[in-house]
Amino acid sequence: MRPRAQSAHGRSFGNLAQLYDDVRPSYPDAAINLMPMNWKDAQVCDLGAGTGVLSRLLLDRGSQVIAVDPDEAALANNPARSLIGSAEDTGLPTDCADVVTVAQAWHWFDETRAAAEIARILKPGGHLLILINQLDVRIAWVLRLSRIMHAGDVYRPAYRPGPAGFDLVDHALVEFTTPVTVDGIVDLARTRSYWLRSNEVTRARVESNLYDYFSLDHPVSGELDLPYLCLAYVLRSAA
């Protein structure tokens, strides 16, 4: 996808802000705790913060959070102080953050420009925490579900983010599940970028295929536990 188109898709989630909050999983404590610090009173920039799935958890830990995102509609659901901006141009002052967090958004950024901007707003020796929730496609039925949804989730165990000017100091893979109904999985598909950029015919086909899958191939009654992985990476500014 071209950078401009990629950026546009990354800004489209605010149209479904409440649905996104309702069906997207939160981030496990073990992933957040990978950061070697006390979150209380920490100055945190939650970058690509969207509706605030991570922002809420950081506020609960006592952090001073500023949520930055280009999507004004998404930020309207975010309880943190907010600022319209991008990863490449946050609008924040230099050396203002102890930590920059990026949850479910790193793949939308221009990595070179974002790394330079993050390094600028971090205090010397500050940290960058990247969190990525994805379906646990190591499990056969979840892999099939991912393909029906066109989720694009691919498990790459060797992947490590390597933005210029940062050193990777720790990483972890945290397994977790979230309870969901089949209707909830269809709603989850509606928050994916494939759905958002598809026409009504394609959306109807995906919805039908999901209901068929859970009635015929993988029958479900009531709720099921949907397996996820949270990939967590802690990086320190080399400046």
Side-chain angles (χ1 to χ4, degrees), residues 40-59:
K40 184 173 174 54
D41 296 325
Q43 300 294 318
V44 181
C45 169
D46 191 12
L47 192 52
T51 62
V53 176
L54 179 60
S55 300
R56 291 181 182 88
L57 299 179
L58 301 178
L59 289 170

Side-chain angles (χ1 to χ4, degrees), residues 26 42 68 113 116 129 144 150 158 168 173-174 176 200 214 216:
S26 189
V68 177
R113 294 173 57 210
L129 175 64
R144 177 60 183 151
H150 295 265
L168 181 69
L173 184 156
V174 181
F176 69 103
E200 290 303 320
F214 285 108
L216 301 174

Side-chain angles (χ1 to χ4, degrees), residues 102-126:
V102 179
Q104 222 65 19
W106 187 255
H107 58 293
W108 296 117
F109 298 169
D110 178 322
E111 183 172 305
T112 299
R113 294 173 57 210
E117 177 69 352
I118 292 168
R120 183 187 68 80
I121 66 175
L122 276 174
K123 298 175 183 178

Side-chain angles (χ1 to χ4, degrees), residues 17-230:
Q18 189 58 58
L19 181 63
Y20 191 102
D21 274 356
D22 290 343
V23 301
R24 286 291 183 111
S26 189
Y27 297 93
D29 286 341
I32 300 172
N33 291 340
L34 193 66
M35 180 68 75
M37 60 170 287
N38 183 352
W39 288 96
K40 184 173 174 54
D41 296 325
Q43 300 294 318
V44 181
C45 169
D46 191 12
L47 192 52
T51 62
V53 176
L54 179 60
S55 300
R56 291 181 182 88
L57 299 179
L58 301 178
L59 289 170
D60 288 345
R61 288 167 177 251
S63 298
Q64 302 298 312
V65 182
I66 177 111
V68 177
D69 198 281
D71 191 332
E72 186 174 3
L75 281 179
N77 270 37
N78 195 310
R81 289 186 302 124
S82 64
L83 178 66
I84 303 296
S86 68
E88 300 80 15
D89 184 11
T90 62
L92 291 171
T94 299
D95 296 345
C96 67
D98 299 304
V99 182
V100 171
T101 57
V102 179
Q104 222 65 19
W106 187 255
H107 58 293
W108 296 117
F109 298 169
D110 178 322
E111 183 172 305
T112 299
R113 294 173 57 210
E117 177 69 352
I118 292 168
R120 183 187 68 80
I121 66 175
L122 276 174
K123 298 175 183 178
H127 287 81
L128 166 63
L129 175 64
I130 299 174
L131 299 178
I132 304 169
N133 278 344
Q134 64 173 74
L135 295 168
D136 190 350
V137 293
R138 301 173 301 175
I139 301 169
W141 74 265
V142 181
L143 175 60
R144 177 60 183 151
L145 169 63
S146 174
R147 289 174 173 170
I148 295 171
M149 291 172 61
H150 295 265
D153 291 3
V154 178
Y155 177 52
R156 297 179 291 164
Y159 170 74
R160 303 288 184 271
F166 288 85
D167 298 317
L168 181 69
V169 296
D170 206 354
H171 62 91
L173 184 156
V174 181
E175 300 175 354
F176 69 103
T177 62
T178 185
V180 65
T181 63
V182 174
D183 286 341
I185 289 176
V186 174
D187 283 341
L188 181 64
R190 293 185 177 118
T191 70
R192 295 283 185 155
S193 57
Y194 177 82
W195 180 285
L196 293 174
R197 65 176 183 262
S198 294
N199 60 34
E200 290 303 320
V201 173
T202 299
R203 292 175 178 180
R205 183 174 67 247
V206 170
E207 181 175 328
S208 177
N209 288 343
L210 285 170
Y211 281 119
D212 285 348
Y213 179 62
F214 285 108
S215 64
L216 301 174
D217 299 328
H218 193 80
V220 170
S221 176
E223 287 188 339
L224 73 154
D225 289 325
L226 186 58
Y228 278 92
L229 303 174
C230 182

